[in-house]
Amino acid sequence: MAENQKKQIPLRLSTKLYNQIAAWAEDDFRSVNGQIEYLLTECVRQRKKNGKYVSEELDQPLDIHID
């Protein structure tokens, strides 16, 4: 597959999470799909930067050990 092509995947979200992402996307002038892609890209970039997983609460450290 060419690198510039996008992969389509099914994604199931709770209504509450979808509505929160939709509101955030609207604030950032993005589509919901664009917002999800942006957030995932940022999470991957952060993980590559520091080698750690992103916690559920982004402003709190993650205290899990992966062997």
Side-chain angles (χ1 to χ4, degrees), residues 4-65:
N4 61 350
Q5 291 181 339
K6 293 191 177 193
K7 179 78 174 160
Q8 293 182 5
I9 60 166
L11 177 64
R12 291 173 184 83
L13 302 172
S14 69
T15 301
K16 181 180 177 182
L17 179 58
Y18 178 88
N19 289 338
Q20 290 172 335
I21 292 172
W24 192 357
E26 188 175 326
D27 289 345
D28 290 352
F29 303 103
R30 292 189 182 100
S31 65
V32 172
N33 187 72
Q35 189 72 6
I36 291 169
E37 185 173 7
Y38 169 77
L39 293 170
L40 289 172
T41 300
E42 288 300 308
C43 286
V44 169
R45 183 183 351 211
Q46 185 65 33
R47 183 166 190 272
K48 283 182 180 179
K49 180 179 175 183
N50 63 20
K52 297 179 183 174
Y53 289 95
V54 176
S55 66
E56 288 182 14
E57 296 182 17
L58 294 176
D59 59 344
Q60 305 225 348
L62 187 61
D63 293 323
I64 64 169
H65 300 282

